[in-house]
mmCIF file of all heavy atoms in Angstrom:
data_model
loop_
_atom_site.group_PDB
_atom_site.id
_atom_site.type_symbol
_atom_site.label_atom_id
_atom_site.label_comp_id
_atom_site.label_asym_id
_atom_site.label_seq_id
_atom_site.Cartn_x
_atom_site.Cartn_y
_atom_site.Cartn_z
ATOM 1 N N TRP A 1 5.184 5.317 -14.025
ATOM 2 C CA TRP A 1 6.182 4.655 -14.854
ATOM 3 C C TRP A 1 7.241 3.919 -14.020
ATOM 4 O O TRP A 1 8.087 3.230 -14.571
ATOM 5 C CB TRP A 1 6.862 5.641 -15.802
ATOM 6 C CG TRP A 1 7.353 6.880 -15.122
ATOM 7 C CD1 TRP A 1 8.590 7.069 -14.548
ATOM 8 C CD2 TRP A 1 6.639 8.088 -14.925
ATOM 9 N NE1 TRP A 1 8.676 8.321 -14.006
ATOM 10 C CE2 TRP A 1 7.483 8.979 -14.228
ATOM 11 C CE3 TRP A 1 5.357 8.522 -15.274
ATOM 12 C CZ2 TRP A 1 7.094 10.260 -13.868
ATOM 13 C CZ3 TRP A 1 4.978 9.798 -14.905
ATOM 14 C CH2 TRP A 1 5.836 10.649 -14.220
ATOM 15 N N LEU A 2 7.152 4.018 -12.684
ATOM 16 C CA LEU A 2 8.068 3.290 -11.801
ATOM 17 C C LEU A 2 7.337 2.244 -10.959
ATOM 18 O O LEU A 2 7.830 1.815 -9.921
ATOM 19 C CB LEU A 2 8.819 4.274 -10.884
ATOM 20 C CG LEU A 2 9.769 5.233 -11.600
ATOM 21 C CD1 LEU A 2 10.389 6.220 -10.615
ATOM 22 C CD2 LEU A 2 10.861 4.466 -12.329
ATOM 23 N N GLY A 3 6.151 1.869 -11.395
ATOM 24 C CA GLY A 3 5.446 0.771 -10.731
ATOM 25 C C GLY A 3 4.179 1.152 -10.002
ATOM 26 O O GLY A 3 3.487 0.285 -9.494
ATOM 27 N N LEU A 4 3.872 2.449 -9.886
ATOM 28 C CA LEU A 4 2.660 2.925 -9.230
ATOM 29 C C LEU A 4 2.568 2.363 -7.811
ATOM 30 O O LEU A 4 3.401 2.709 -6.980
ATOM 31 C CB LEU A 4 1.434 2.567 -10.073
ATOM 32 C CG LEU A 4 0.174 3.395 -9.886
ATOM 33 C CD1 LEU A 4 0.410 4.862 -10.206
ATOM 34 C CD2 LEU A 4 -0.949 2.864 -10.750
ATOM 35 N N ASP A 5 1.646 1.460 -7.534
ATOM 36 C CA ASP A 5 1.500 0.920 -6.172
ATOM 37 C C ASP A 5 2.064 -0.499 -6.037
ATOM 38 O O ASP A 5 1.870 -1.159 -5.022
ATOM 39 C CB ASP A 5 0.036 0.935 -5.740
ATOM 40 C CG ASP A 5 -0.823 -0.024 -6.545
ATOM 41 O OD1 ASP A 5 -0.407 -0.422 -7.650
ATOM 42 O OD2 ASP A 5 -1.908 -0.370 -6.061
ATOM 43 N N ALA A 6 2.810 -0.968 -7.040
ATOM 44 C CA ALA A 6 3.328 -2.339 -7.033
ATOM 45 C C ALA A 6 4.245 -2.626 -5.839
ATOM 46 O O ALA A 6 4.338 -3.762 -5.385
ATOM 47 C CB ALA A 6 4.077 -2.626 -8.339
ATOM 48 N N HIS A 7 4.908 -1.602 -5.323
ATOM 49 C CA HIS A 7 5.842 -1.792 -4.203
ATOM 50 C C HIS A 7 5.258 -1.323 -2.874
ATOM 51 O O HIS A 7 5.972 -1.233 -1.877
ATOM 52 C CB HIS A 7 7.146 -1.045 -4.488
ATOM 53 C CG HIS A 7 7.781 -1.466 -5.776
ATOM 54 N ND1 HIS A 7 8.329 -2.713 -5.976
ATOM 55 C CD2 HIS A 7 7.914 -0.812 -6.957
ATOM 56 C CE1 HIS A 7 8.780 -2.801 -7.205
ATOM 57 N NE2 HIS A 7 8.533 -1.662 -7.825
ATOM 58 N N CYS A 8 3.976 -1.036 -2.858
ATOM 59 C CA CYS A 8 3.320 -0.547 -1.633
ATOM 60 C C CYS A 8 3.361 -1.633 -0.552
ATOM 61 O O CYS A 8 3.176 -2.815 -0.837
ATOM 62 C CB CYS A 8 1.873 -0.164 -1.925
ATOM 63 S SG CYS A 8 1.006 0.520 -0.487
ATOM 64 N N ASN A 9 3.578 -1.198 0.682
ATOM 65 C CA ASN A 9 3.642 -2.156 1.791
ATOM 66 C C ASN A 9 2.297 -2.848 2.034
ATOM 67 O O ASN A 9 2.240 -3.859 2.720
ATOM 68 C CB ASN A 9 4.172 -1.506 3.076
ATOM 69 C CG ASN A 9 3.305 -0.380 3.586
ATOM 70 O OD1 ASN A 9 2.143 -0.232 3.234
ATOM 71 N ND2 ASN A 9 3.900 0.439 4.433
ATOM 72 N N TYR A 10 1.246 -2.343 1.461
ATOM 73 C CA TYR A 10 -0.061 -2.980 1.589
ATOM 74 C C TYR A 10 -0.035 -4.402 1.024
ATOM 75 O O TYR A 10 -0.714 -5.289 1.530
ATOM 76 C CB TYR A 10 -1.123 -2.143 0.862
ATOM 77 C CG TYR A 10 -2.479 -2.779 0.852
ATOM 78 C CD1 TYR A 10 -3.260 -2.808 2.002
ATOM 79 C CD2 TYR A 10 -2.977 -3.382 -0.294
ATOM 80 C CE1 TYR A 10 -4.513 -3.411 2.008
ATOM 81 C CE2 TYR A 10 -4.228 -3.979 -0.305
ATOM 82 C CZ TYR A 10 -4.988 -3.994 0.847
ATOM 83 O OH TYR A 10 -6.213 -4.594 0.851
ATOM 84 N N TYR A 11 0.752 -4.611 -0.015
ATOM 85 C CA TYR A 11 0.815 -5.911 -0.680
ATOM 86 C C TYR A 11 1.860 -6.845 -0.069
ATOM 87 O O TYR A 11 2.022 -7.958 -0.544
ATOM 88 C CB TYR A 11 1.125 -5.731 -2.168
ATOM 89 C CG TYR A 11 0.088 -4.895 -2.876
ATOM 90 C CD1 TYR A 11 0.418 -3.653 -3.386
ATOM 91 C CD2 TYR A 11 -1.216 -5.347 -3.026
ATOM 92 C CE1 TYR A 11 -0.532 -2.879 -4.039
ATOM 93 C CE2 TYR A 11 -2.168 -4.586 -3.674
ATOM 94 C CZ TYR A 11 -1.817 -3.349 -4.180
ATOM 95 O OH TYR A 11 -2.750 -2.586 -4.811
ATOM 96 N N LYS A 12 2.557 -6.412 0.943
ATOM 97 C CA LYS A 12 3.609 -7.223 1.561
ATOM 98 C C LYS A 12 3.087 -7.849 2.849
ATOM 99 O O LYS A 12 2.894 -7.154 3.840
ATOM 100 C CB LYS A 12 4.824 -6.359 1.827
ATOM 101 C CG LYS A 12 5.369 -5.745 0.541
ATOM 102 C CD LYS A 12 6.662 -5.063 0.747
ATOM 103 C CE LYS A 12 7.191 -4.390 -0.474
ATOM 104 N NZ LYS A 12 6.970 -4.940 -1.742
ATOM 105 N N PRO A 13 2.851 -9.151 2.847
ATOM 106 C CA PRO A 13 2.289 -9.810 4.034
ATOM 107 C C PRO A 13 3.153 -9.625 5.286
ATOM 108 O O PRO A 13 2.632 -9.556 6.382
ATOM 109 C CB PRO A 13 2.224 -11.289 3.647
ATOM 110 C CG PRO A 13 2.433 -11.356 2.187
ATOM 111 C CD PRO A 13 3.093 -10.087 1.758
ATOM 112 N N GLN A 14 4.467 -9.508 5.115
ATOM 113 C CA GLN A 14 5.361 -9.368 6.259
ATOM 114 C C GLN A 14 5.452 -7.939 6.793
ATOM 115 O O GLN A 14 6.017 -7.718 7.861
ATOM 116 C CB GLN A 14 6.776 -9.885 5.909
ATOM 117 C CG GLN A 14 7.590 -8.947 5.043
ATOM 118 C CD GLN A 14 7.289 -8.985 3.543
ATOM 119 O OE1 GLN A 14 6.306 -9.565 3.104
ATOM 120 N NE2 GLN A 14 8.136 -8.346 2.756
ATOM 121 N N ALA A 15 4.889 -6.978 6.082
ATOM 122 C CA ALA A 15 4.962 -5.583 6.524
ATOM 123 C C ALA A 15 4.156 -5.402 7.807
ATOM 124 O O ALA A 15 2.992 -5.798 7.887
ATOM 125 C CB ALA A 15 4.447 -4.648 5.443
ATOM 126 N N GLU A 16 4.794 -4.805 8.791
ATOM 127 C CA GLU A 16 4.133 -4.584 10.079
ATOM 128 C C GLU A 16 3.012 -3.551 9.958
ATOM 129 O O GLU A 16 1.982 -3.645 10.611
ATOM 130 C CB GLU A 16 5.167 -4.114 11.098
ATOM 131 C CG GLU A 16 4.626 -3.956 12.489
ATOM 132 C CD GLU A 16 5.687 -3.523 13.484
ATOM 133 O OE1 GLU A 16 6.884 -3.560 13.155
ATOM 134 O OE2 GLU A 16 5.302 -3.132 14.593
ATOM 135 N N HIS A 17 3.230 -2.553 9.112
ATOM 136 C CA HIS A 17 2.255 -1.471 8.931
ATOM 137 C C HIS A 17 1.834 -1.422 7.470
ATOM 138 O O HIS A 17 2.647 -1.600 6.581
ATOM 139 C CB HIS A 17 2.863 -0.132 9.347
ATOM 140 C CG HIS A 17 3.417 -0.144 10.728
ATOM 141 N ND1 HIS A 17 2.619 -0.185 11.844
ATOM 142 C CD2 HIS A 17 4.699 -0.160 11.170
ATOM 143 C CE1 HIS A 17 3.378 -0.207 12.922
ATOM 144 N NE2 HIS A 17 4.648 -0.188 12.548
ATOM 145 N N LYS A 18 0.561 -1.159 7.250
ATOM 146 C CA LYS A 18 0.011 -1.088 5.895
ATOM 147 C C LYS A 18 -0.413 0.344 5.585
ATOM 148 O O LYS A 18 -0.990 1.027 6.426
ATOM 149 C CB LYS A 18 -1.204 -2.015 5.750
ATOM 150 C CG LYS A 18 -0.950 -3.460 6.132
ATOM 151 C CD LYS A 18 -0.133 -4.168 5.096
ATOM 152 C CE LYS A 18 -0.010 -5.638 5.486
ATOM 153 N NZ LYS A 18 0.659 -6.413 4.484
ATOM 154 N N CYS A 19 -0.139 0.779 4.370
ATOM 155 C CA CYS A 19 -0.478 2.128 3.907
ATOM 156 C C CYS A 19 -1.935 2.461 4.239
ATOM 157 O O CYS A 19 -2.839 1.717 3.858
ATOM 158 C CB CYS A 19 -0.250 2.200 2.404
ATOM 159 S SG CYS A 19 -0.891 3.696 1.632
ATOM 160 N N PRO A 20 -2.186 3.566 4.944
ATOM 161 C CA PRO A 20 -3.564 3.911 5.330
ATOM 162 C C PRO A 20 -4.520 4.141 4.150
ATOM 163 O O PRO A 20 -5.693 3.815 4.248
ATOM 164 C CB PRO A 20 -3.406 5.197 6.132
ATOM 165 C CG PRO A 20 -2.018 5.173 6.627
ATOM 166 C CD PRO A 20 -1.223 4.470 5.557
ATOM 167 N N TRP A 21 -4.026 4.699 3.065
ATOM 168 C CA TRP A 21 -4.908 4.929 1.925
ATOM 169 C C TRP A 21 -5.240 3.628 1.215
ATOM 170 O O TRP A 21 -6.313 3.487 0.637
ATOM 171 C CB TRP A 21 -4.289 5.923 0.944
ATOM 172 C CG TRP A 21 -4.432 7.356 1.371
ATOM 173 C CD1 TRP A 21 -5.151 7.845 2.414
ATOM 174 C CD2 TRP A 21 -3.827 8.484 0.750
ATOM 175 N NE1 TRP A 21 -5.033 9.211 2.483
ATOM 176 C CE2 TRP A 21 -4.224 9.634 1.471
ATOM 177 C CE3 TRP A 21 -2.987 8.650 -0.343
ATOM 178 C CZ2 TRP A 21 -3.815 10.918 1.132
ATOM 179 C CZ3 TRP A 21 -2.574 9.934 -0.679
ATOM 180 C CH2 TRP A 21 -2.993 11.057 0.048
ATOM 181 N N CYS A 22 -4.344 2.657 1.242
ATOM 182 C CA CYS A 22 -4.598 1.365 0.602
ATOM 183 C C CYS A 22 -5.336 0.403 1.542
ATOM 184 O O CYS A 22 -6.137 -0.397 1.093
ATOM 185 C CB CYS A 22 -3.295 0.727 0.135
ATOM 186 S SG CYS A 22 -2.461 1.650 -1.172
ATOM 187 N N ALA A 23 -5.037 0.479 2.823
ATOM 188 C CA ALA A 23 -5.628 -0.444 3.800
ATOM 189 C C ALA A 23 -7.124 -0.209 3.968
ATOM 190 O O ALA A 23 -7.872 -1.133 4.245
ATOM 191 C CB ALA A 23 -4.920 -0.320 5.146
ATOM 192 N N SER A 24 -7.564 1.014 3.816
ATOM 193 C CA SER A 24 -8.982 1.330 3.931
ATOM 194 C C SER A 24 -9.433 1.988 2.630
ATOM 195 O O SER A 24 -9.125 3.158 2.390
ATOM 196 C CB SER A 24 -9.237 2.279 5.108
ATOM 197 O OG SER A 24 -10.570 2.746 5.079
ATOM 198 N N MET A 25 -10.145 1.239 1.818
ATOM 199 C CA MET A 25 -10.609 1.765 0.538
ATOM 200 C C MET A 25 -11.444 3.029 0.741
ATOM 201 O O MET A 25 -11.308 3.998 0.008
ATOM 202 C CB MET A 25 -11.419 0.697 -0.200
ATOM 203 C CG MET A 25 -11.829 1.098 -1.586
ATOM 204 S SD MET A 25 -10.464 1.288 -2.736
ATOM 205 C CE MET A 25 -10.010 -0.398 -3.008
ATOM 206 N N PHE A 26 -12.282 3.035 1.774
ATOM 207 C CA PHE A 26 -13.120 4.198 2.064
ATOM 208 C C PHE A 26 -12.256 5.424 2.350
ATOM 209 O O PHE A 26 -12.454 6.485 1.774
ATOM 210 C CB PHE A 26 -14.049 3.903 3.245
ATOM 211 C CG PHE A 26 -14.847 5.099 3.686
ATOM 212 C CD1 PHE A 26 -15.925 5.554 2.940
ATOM 213 C CD2 PHE A 26 -14.505 5.785 4.844
ATOM 214 C CE1 PHE A 26 -16.655 6.667 3.332
ATOM 215 C CE2 PHE A 26 -15.228 6.901 5.246
ATOM 216 C CZ PHE A 26 -16.307 7.343 4.484
ATOM 217 N N VAL A 27 -11.286 5.274 3.244
ATOM 218 C CA VAL A 27 -10.420 6.398 3.616
ATOM 219 C C VAL A 27 -9.581 6.842 2.423
ATOM 220 O O VAL A 27 -9.417 8.034 2.176
ATOM 221 C CB VAL A 27 -9.514 6.023 4.812
ATOM 222 C CG1 VAL A 27 -8.449 7.073 5.054
ATOM 223 C CG2 VAL A 27 -10.351 5.823 6.059
#
C-alpha cells in the first residue's frame, strides 16, 4: 500500500547499486 517496488533502486538509472533480488530474476 506504499508503492511495493515502485521506489526500488533497480528502476533508477542513476543508482550506483541495484537491488540484488530485482537485478537478478533468478536470484
Side-chain angles (χ1 to χ4, degrees):
W1 49 89
L2 295 176
L4 203 60
D5 67 340
H7 303 292
C8 183
N9 62 18
Y10 176 74
Y11 301 114
K12 301 188 183 326
Q14 76 279 12
E16 185 178 348
H17 306 289
K18 305 286 184 175
C19 170
W21 281 352
C22 295
S24 171
M25 186 66 73
F26 174 75
V27 170

